[in-house]
Amino acid sequence: MSAPLSAEWMTYLFQMPSIQQFIDSLIEQIADGRSMFIGLPDTLDPTTIWMHLQEGLYRREFLCAELLVENHTDPAQSFVNLLADSFEVAWENVDTARTLHNLRHGLAKQARAPNLIYLYGLDQTANWAEWLSLVLQWSNETKMLVDSGQLSRR
């Protein structure tokens, strides 16, 4: 495993035109409504890329959210609860099942959800494959909302 690049190197790296073009292309893809999963080598600090993405997205009035996924024993329940808390979803009642499907309906009532979610700690959890499956399901649920006009991309 390689050591992460120093902060000084990261500063210079993100001034390079090719890196700026990479960040700009990610922002454009997000603006076009594409779902993405970005895997990075362990020599790059993901928080630096997240910072640059946020800057570009905030200029376009996009919403971003951060979710810490490590140390959760039940990914399905944790993912729904993390999303609901992050998006401040009001459940219909206390007995409403905490599922991605019901979360989608709660978000539709708000008419707005984050355009980008940064899942950090994924590399620290043993059940990362289950988390990725949930991310795919979430992507499909929100796509249905956007396609039906119930949720705005911006």
Side-chain angles (χ1 to χ4, degrees), residues 5-67:
L5 296 174
S6 70
E8 184 178 9
W9 269 103
M10 291 297 283
T11 299
Y12 290 121
L13 184 67
F14 278 88
Q15 291 175 3
M16 294 177 65
S18 59
I19 300 296
Q20 285 299 313
Q21 289 171 349
F22 170 70
I23 297 293
D24 291 344
S25 74
L26 291 176
I27 292 169
E28 286 303 317
Q29 290 179 46
I30 292 166
D32 288 343
R34 291 190 180 94
S35 296
M36 293 184 292
F37 181 84
I38 304 168
L40 301 171
D42 59 1
T43 55
L44 284 179
D45 177 12
T47 56
T48 305
I49 291 178
W50 175 242
M51 180 185 69
H52 287 274
L53 281 174
Q54 279 182 306
E55 288 173 7
L57 291 169
Y58 285 145
R59 282 194 297 269
R60 293 178 179 221
E61 298 181 4
F62 277 53
L63 296 176
C64 300
E66 297 180 23
L67 301 175

Side-chain angles (χ1 to χ4, degrees), residues 101-115:
H101 179 75
N102 289 339
L103 178 62
R104 175 172 64 101
H105 290 290
L107 282 174
K109 292 178 184 175
Q110 292 179 206
R112 186 89 197 260
N115 303 88

Side-chain angles (χ1 to χ4, degrees), residues 44-96:
L44 284 179
D45 177 12
T47 56
T48 305
I49 291 178
W50 175 242
M51 180 185 69
H52 287 274
L53 281 174
Q54 279 182 306
E55 288 173 7
L57 291 169
Y58 285 145
R59 282 194 297 269
R60 293 178 179 221
E61 298 181 4
F62 277 53
L63 296 176
C64 300
E66 297 180 23
L67 301 175
L68 175 63
V69 300
E70 64 187 10
N71 301 324
H72 291 280
T73 56
D74 181 0
Q77 193 63 44
S78 298
F79 188 62
V80 170
N81 288 333
L82 285 168
L83 290 172
D85 290 346
S86 179
F87 307 155
E88 299 176 4
V89 170
W91 297 101
E92 289 184 22
N93 59 55
V94 293
D95 297 327
T96 301

